Amino acid sequence: MKGNCLEFDGNNDGIRFHVVVLNFERIASFLDNANKIQNFRPDRDRLIVLDCSVSHAAQKQAVLEFAQQRGWTALVVQRKNWGIDQGARVDYFTALPKMKYPPKFIWQFQEHYLDLESPWSIWPSEMPQIGGQLKQDVLPDDFRINLDHCERIYEENRQVSVLYADRAKLGVFTHDDGNEWFYADGANFSARTSDVLEAFPPEVLSTYKSIYDGSYNWTLFMEMDICRRLTRPGRHWFDLVTGEHFAHPDDLRNIEAQKQVSLHQDAESFYSGLYRSYENRFAEFIDKSNLRRTVQTLQSSMYLGLRGSRLGQGIRRLWE
C-alpha cells in the first residue's frame, strides 16, 4: 500500500480528520452505525476504509453508495490481508508521511467499534465467564463521536495528543522494569497527526513488519506498543467520556484519588511475558539496516504464505 493511494482528487489542503476504518468483511457493522459520528464535514473530513476482505468489490461498493447518499468524501483502499487491524494501522502510519495532504487529526478504529449489537461485538456464548457479553473494544453506551468537539479539544489544549472513548476505561500496562503507559482497548482512538508521525518513524514501522509472525499474540503486542509510543512526557490522553486528561498513569491516579472516581483498568498479568518476548525481538531488528529488515519481512511473508498453502499443510501432516 503506497502513500499516493490514500490521496483524493483535487486540492485537499486543510483536511481536518481522516476517519480511518479498518475492515475485514464487516463494513456493514460500521455503515449501520455511522450516525454515531457527528459533524462529519465533507469539505474538511475524509472517510478512509482500509480493506483486506475477500469480497473487496462488494465491501467497496457498499462504502461508495453510503458516501454518495451522505455526501461524504470517501476512499476505499485494498490492502494485503496481514496482521488483522494492527497490520492495517502499520500500513496507514507508513503511508501517512508520504501524503501530499495529510489530515490534522486522525480517528482510527476497527469496523465494529461503533456497533453494540452485532455478533462481531459480542463474545461467543460458549466462552467461559465472558460469553454473551459485549467486547471491551467497542464504544460506550449512548456515546457519539462529535468531530467538532474533538477538534475544539485539540485546538484549545496543544498538550492533548490522544482522544479516546473506551468502554472498559483506559488501560494501564506495567512493564517488568516498572515503566507504565496507557492503552486503549483494540487500539481504537484518535490522535494528533504530528504526534503519530513523531512516534512512528519508518524504522519502527518496518521493524513491526520484520517481527510479524502471523499470530494473534503479535497483534496483542502491537496494541500495547502502539499505545506505549503515544504515552509521552507532556502529551496528554483525553477521556471523551469524563473530560479528564493526563500525561502519565501517576497523573491519572492522582485524579482518581482526588475525585474518588475510577478511570482505568490494569492490564492482565499474562500480557507481561507476551510483551517482553516481542519486545526482545523488536530490539533485535530495530538497529539493523533497512535492507536487513526488508529481507526479514520478505522471509517471514514467504514462510507464512507457505505455511498456509496446501503444500505447506501437506508437509506439516507428514511430520505429524
Side-chain angles (χ1 to χ4, degrees):
M1 198 179 83
K2 299 180 179 179
N4 59 8
C5 73
L6 292 179
E7 300 291 2
F8 292 80
D9 294 333
N11 186 344
N12 293 281
D13 194 16
I15 295 176
R16 180 176 67 162
F17 277 96
H18 273 182
V19 177
V20 183
V21 181
L22 317 173
N23 180 60
F24 177 74
E25 304 289 3
R26 302 173 178 176
I27 198 59
S29 185
F30 166 72
L31 299 178
D32 291 346
N33 293 277
N35 63 318
K36 295 178 182 178
I37 297 177
Q38 298 178 335
N39 294 314
F40 182 101
R41 304 195 180 280
D43 60 329
R44 303 183 62 204
D45 304 319
R46 302 291 183 264
L47 170 64
I48 295 179
V49 177
L50 301 185
D51 181 62
C52 60
S53 303
V54 176
S55 62
H56 172 71
Q59 302 284 303
K60 179 177 180 178
Q61 185 61 30
V63 173
L64 297 181
E65 290 177 358
F66 165 89
Q68 185 176 29
Q69 293 169 1
R70 295 289 188 95
W72 288 21
T73 308
L75 183 66
V76 182
V77 179
Q78 187 174 25
R79 71 177 195 91
K80 182 180 178 182
N81 184 3
W82 77 280
I84 318 180
D85 55 308
Q86 306 299 356
R89 290 184 174 91
V90 172
D91 286 343
Y92 177 77
F93 292 164
T94 301
L96 193 58
K98 305 171 187 176
M99 296 179 194
K100 185 176 181 180
Y101 300 112
K104 293 179 68 176
F105 317 113
I106 302 159
W107 251 111
Q108 55 78 43
F109 45 77
Q110 299 156 289
E111 75 284 271
H112 71 277
Y113 174 59
L114 307 179
D115 186 352
L116 305 184
E117 297 181 357
S118 77
W120 301 313
S121 299
I122 300 172
W123 291 111
S125 58
E126 62 270 17
M127 294 192 69
Q129 297 183 330
I130 60 174
Q133 297 180 19
L134 269 173
K135 295 179 180 178
Q136 296 182 341
D137 60 0
V138 296
L139 204 65
D141 291 341
D142 302 318
F143 189 83
R144 300 291 185 270
I145 296 174
N146 184 330
L147 296 183
D148 286 354
H149 178 56
C150 292
E151 179 186 28
R152 283 194 298 272
I153 293 170
Y154 280 126
E155 296 291 0
E156 292 174 2
N157 188 342
R158 300 297 298 177
Q159 289 184 308
V160 172
S161 179
V162 175
L163 308 178
Y164 69 93
D166 202 312
R167 184 175 192 84
K169 303 177 184 177
L170 187 62
V172 172
F173 181 88
T174 303
H175 193 280
D176 291 344
D177 63 9
N179 286 322
E180 293 184 312
W181 60 84
F182 300 128
Y183 70 92
D185 270 301
N188 299 316
F189 55 78
S190 170
R192 195 183 295 271
T193 300
S194 58
D195 289 335
V196 170
L197 291 171
E198 187 176 335
F200 300 100
E203 61 271 20
V204 167
L205 296 169
S206 63
T207 302
Y208 284 152
K209 295 178 183 179
S210 296
I211 66 173
Y212 173 62
D213 58 7
S215 73
Y216 185 63
N217 282 348
W218 177 87
T219 69
L220 296 177
F221 162 76
M222 288 293 295
E223 180 175 324
M224 297 296 170
D225 203 68
I226 285 174
C227 293
R228 178 179 75 86
R229 294 179 186 278
L230 289 168
T231 305
R232 313 171 78 187
R235 309 294 173 85
H236 288 220
W237 284 55
F238 190 103
D239 186 346
L240 289 170
V241 177
T242 67
E244 302 290 353
H245 57 94
F246 10 75
H248 187 272
D250 286 342
D251 303 329
L252 178 152
R253 294 188 184 99
N254 287 336
I255 293 175
E256 288 179 322
Q258 292 169 8
K259 299 188 176 182
Q260 294 296 296
V261 295
S262 174
L263 299 172
H264 84 283
Q265 58 172 326
D266 292 314
E268 294 92 334
S269 58
F270 83 90
Y271 278 103
S272 295
L274 182 154
Y275 184 88
R276 186 171 59 253
S277 174
Y278 282 93
E279 180 185 36
N280 291 337
R281 293 180 62 189
F282 185 95
E284 178 183 350
F285 283 97
I286 187 64
D287 292 327
K288 303 289 186 182
S289 68
N290 186 57
L291 176 60
R292 179 67 184 89
R293 290 195 297 268
T294 300
V295 170
Q296 173 63 24
T297 300
L298 291 173
Q299 290 176 336
S300 296
S301 179
M302 291 174 63
Y303 168 74
L304 293 172
L306 176 62
R307 191 177 70 178
S309 68
R310 290 184 179 180
L311 175 61
Q313 292 173 5
I315 293 174
R316 287 171 62 190
R317 284 194 293 269
L318 288 175
W319 283 98
E320 290 175 352

